[in-house]
Amino acid sequence: MTPARILIADDDPAGRYLLVSTLTSAGYETYTAEDGAQALAVARGEAPDLIITDILMPQMDGYQLCREWEADPSLAHIPFIFYTANYADEEDERFALSLGADRFLRKPLEPGALLAEVKTLLENHRPSGVLPKPTKPADEARVLREYNARLVSKLERQLEEVQQANDQLVEMMNGTVRAVAKLTEARDPYTSGHQERVADLAAAIARRMGHDHLYCEGIRTAGLVHDIGKIAVPAEILAMPRRLTTEEFALIKVHPGVGHDVLSGIRFPWPVAEWVLQHHERIDGSGYPAGLEGDEIDVGARILAVADVVEAMSSHRPYKTGAGIDAALEEIEQNAGRFYDVGVAAACIALFREDAYSIPAANSGAVYSR
Ligand SMILES: [Fe+2]
C-alpha cells in the first residue's frame, strides 16, 4: 500500500521540520509549502491525502487557504487540519471549523496525539468529489468581518509574544553587560562600583539634556563598560597608591582603545564602542587617545567624560581621598568649554543643584589617603 501523502503549510522552517519528522517517522510521505498560496498551487498540481496548515503565514494565511480549499471541488474532500500556536482561543477554533476544516489542533501536541488525529481522518476521509459538509449559504460579509477580527486578534497575541521575547533579550543583554563590568572591577577593587555609578550619572545627565529613553539606556550601557579596557592594564598600576609616572600613565592610556576593540564586536543599538573609545577626549584636544577636539567627539562620549570625572573626583581612590561632590562640580564648571562640553556640564550641575541628584552610595573598600 502506498503511504498517504501529507501536505504541510507553515512559514516557520522549524515548524515544518517538526511536522515532517513526526509524520515521516510514522511512515507517511510529506511535502511542504511556505504559505497558503504555495500550498494551494502544489495541491492543485498534486493533491495530497491530507493537509496540515498553520494560520499566520505571509501571502495567504491559513483561513484564506481553508476557504479556497473548501471551494475547490478537486480539494474539498481532502481532510484539512489547522495546527497552530498555543495562543489560539476557542473563537479561532469555532471560526476555523465554520470554514470547513476538520480539526483545529494547538501546538505543541504530543506526536502520538497528532498522529492519532491524522490516522482517524485518513481512515474516515470524505470520498473524492463529494463536498464535505452541507455549507450554509455563506454570508460573505459576516465571514469577512469575522475573518478580519480573528486575524487581528491573532496578530495582537503574536505581537505580545514577540514583545515578551524582546524584553527577555534586553534583560539578558543588561545582565551580560553587568557581569562583564564586574569582571573588570574584580581586578581593581579600589574602583569597585565606579562604572555602575558613572552609568547612573551619565544616564541622568542624558535625560536632563532631553535625550529620549532609548538613548539614555545606551549611555547607561556604555557607562557600565567604559573602563573595560583596563583589563589590559597591569593590576599593580591600577592600584598604585601614588601619582603615576609618564611611562605608567602611558599604560593606562591604552584602555579606551582596548575597550573599543572588545566592544566593537557587539552589535549594540548604540555606538557604545565609539563612546568608550572617546571617553577621555577633551574639548580642547588635550585628551587621549586621539586628541580629538570639540564636535569631533561624539556627544555620548562627552556625557561619559563628565560623569566619569565627577564620579572619580567625589570618590576615594588608592592615591587620593575623594575631593567631594562640590569640588567635582566646581572642576566641571570651571572647565566647561575647555575640557568639557558646555551643555553637558550645565546639565550635570543642574542635576545636582536643582534636581537634588546624588551619586548612588559608593562601595566602601580599602582607602589609601595621602
Ligand atoms: Fe576611563
Side-chain angles (χ1 to χ4, degrees):
M1 204 177 87
T2 51
R5 282 171 55 81
I6 298 175
L7 175 58
I8 294 159
D10 194 335
D11 58 329
D12 172 25
R16 288 198 301 272
Y17 175 78
L18 268 177
L19 280 177
V20 167
S21 46
T22 304
L23 293 164
T24 50
S25 67
Y28 295 110
E29 241 179 58
T30 58
Y31 58 135
T32 61
E34 294 176 15
D35 61 66
Q38 207 183 72
L40 207 55
V42 296
R44 281 174 178 153
E46 193 180 356
D49 297 306
L50 181 143
I51 176 169
I52 302 180
T53 181
D54 188 22
I55 293 183
L56 283 184
M57 295 181 290
Q59 315 294 340
M60 183 191 288
D61 60 77
Y63 291 144
Q64 188 57 29
L65 169 64
C66 187
R67 296 182 73 202
E68 305 231 2
W69 193 272
E70 298 297 325
D72 184 335
S74 72
L75 299 175
H77 65 284
I78 299 167
F80 194 106
I81 298 181
F82 277 113
Y83 187 49
T84 189
N86 54 1
Y87 49 73
D89 63 19
E90 272 158 29
E91 281 300 292
D92 287 327
E93 175 166 3
R94 191 193 47 72
F95 181 64
L97 297 178
S98 83
L99 294 176
D102 297 274
R103 291 288 188 280
F104 186 88
L105 308 177
R106 289 176 178 79
K107 290 177 191 172
L109 201 61
E110 282 294 311
L114 177 73
L115 291 171
E117 296 281 8
V118 167
K119 187 162 178 276
T120 308
L121 282 173
L122 284 171
E123 281 171 1
N124 307 313
H125 87 282
R126 300 164 260 171
S128 175
V130 178
L131 278 180
K133 288 161 193 154
T135 38
K136 281 182 262 167
D139 177 351
E140 193 64 9
R142 185 192 58 76
V143 172
L144 269 181
R145 243 195 339 270
E146 197 173 351
Y147 166 79
N148 286 333
R150 289 291 89 219
L151 220 52
V152 167
S153 104
K154 278 191 78 66
L155 279 170
E156 278 170 350
R157 274 168 284 160
Q158 200 181 46
L159 207 63
E160 222 170 86
E161 273 197 355
V162 170
Q163 186 62 47
Q164 272 172 11
N166 196 35
D167 289 351
Q168 238 170 31
L169 272 178
V170 170
E171 228 169 83
M172 212 168 75
M173 185 193 79
N174 288 340
T176 310
V177 167
R178 284 205 153 76
V180 167
K182 284 221 160 68
L183 214 62
T184 327
E185 292 182 359
R187 297 181 66 242
D188 183 10
Y190 300 107
T191 56
S192 169
H194 165 68
Q195 295 187 108
E196 188 114 16
R197 292 190 296 274
V198 168
D200 194 86
L201 174 55
I205 294 173
R207 208 175 310 119
R208 171 80 203 198
M209 290 172 74
H211 290 289
D212 64 27
H213 177 72
L214 189 67
Y215 186 88
C216 297
E217 285 311 297
I219 293 289
R220 181 189 303 282
T221 304
L224 278 172
V225 290
H226 74 275
D227 276 342
I228 192 177
K230 284 189 175 168
I231 205 94
V233 179
E236 58 273 22
I237 291 192
L238 293 178
M240 195 74 80
R242 57 164 170 76
R243 194 163 281 281
L244 299 176
T245 64
T246 311
E247 291 74 27
E248 287 164 346
F249 195 57
L251 289 173
I252 292 272
K253 281 181 173 175
V254 305
H255 83 273
V258 173
H260 175 266
D261 288 352
V262 169
L263 297 165
S264 57
I266 305 174
R267 283 184 58 195
F268 287 106
W270 318 277
V272 170
E274 215 51 44
W275 290 342
V276 167
L277 177 65
Q278 299 177 358
H279 79 275
H280 283 288
E281 299 290 356
R282 296 292 178 255
I283 298 295
D284 64 357
S286 64
Y288 64 88
L292 300 180
E293 286 177 36
D295 288 348
E296 290 174 341
I297 310 165
D298 192 280
V299 69
R302 289 184 243 163
I303 295 172
L304 284 180
V306 168
D308 191 17
V309 168
V310 170
E311 200 291 323
M313 277 190 73
S314 56
S315 300
H316 295 299
R317 286 289 185 275
Y319 43 86
K320 65 164 182 58
T321 324
I325 187 62
D326 290 330
L329 293 182
E330 215 166 283
E331 154 73 17
I332 297 299
E333 206 162 26
Q334 275 175 8
N335 290 303
R338 183 177 169 214
F339 296 154
Y340 315 112
D341 179 278
V342 173
V344 175
C348 178
I349 289 160
L351 201 61
F352 283 93
R353 296 199 179 141
E354 292 167 25
D355 301 349
Y357 176 87
S358 64
I359 294 177
N363 200 338
S364 59
V367 174
Y368 289 54
S369 58
R370 47 168 231 175

